[in-house]
Amino acid sequence: MRVYVPLTLPGLAEAYKTGELGAGPFVAYAVTPGLREWYVSDDTEELEYAALGRAALASLRLLAAEPGAPRRRVVIAVDVADRAVSADPDRGSEPAAPGEVRVAGPVPLGKAASVHVDAAGAQPDVTAAAEALPAADGGDESAQSAVDGAEDHELLWFATQEIANLVGLGD
């Protein structure tokens, strides 16, 4: 199963150094029955894109909690065994729940298929979105507009061989 793991650039650097994602169970996003119902599509590519988008929002939440991290959302697409993934059916009605799964972890970074990262030009909008997230969660429409501004930026696709350069450890 392909899952999308939300990270920050420091989290990506740590995964690169250790060679694995997650020390124990960790949150990721995937095409689940709940995501299919929420997104209302049968197109697999659209559903995977929706799962990637959910992971990008989760990455934004990580950035909001990690003020020192560079303001770029990071998502790793990784293939894991179906038995390593579980979803909580009781969370179906929660706003963060569509597509959310738990991966038993850890997962070797070598299982990663790709890395998705904001372009440097997205940083002002991602910064504003991370700062506005608590107010947006509280229903503030202006703050939600700032969060949506970050979502307007497409994450760039990178091969896993480019991780060292993304985290500043490349040649």
Side-chain angles (χ1 to χ4, degrees), residues 47-68:
L47 290 165
E48 287 184 358
Y49 186 75
L52 173 66
R54 303 296 294 165
L57 179 59
S59 175
L60 184 65
R61 292 187 180 289
L62 293 174
L63 289 172
E66 195 176 330

Side-chain angles (χ1 to χ4, degrees), residues 34-59:
L35 183 81
R36 287 179 188 278
E37 183 178 317
W38 173 76
Y39 196 73
V40 192
S41 175
D42 290 328
D43 185 289
T44 302
E45 285 186 30
E46 284 182 14
L47 290 165
E48 287 184 358
Y49 186 75
L52 173 66
R54 303 296 294 165
L57 179 59
S59 175

Side-chain angles (χ1 to χ4, degrees), residues 85-115:
V85 179
S86 62
D88 183 353
D90 295 332
R91 291 204 55 220
S93 61
E94 295 179 32
E100 184 178 294
V101 296
R102 292 234 178 254
V103 178
V107 175
L109 192 57
K111 298 271 187 186
S114 58
V115 181

Side-chain angles (χ1 to χ4, degrees), residues 49 53-54 56-57 60 73 118 125-126 129 133 144-155:
Y49 186 75
R54 303 296 294 165
L57 179 59
L60 184 65
R73 298 167 298 163
D118 275 312
D125 288 337
V126 171
L133 201 53
Q144 185 61 50
S145 179
V147 172
D148 293 343
E151 292 177 4
D152 288 343
H153 293 275
E154 295 285 331
L155 297 178

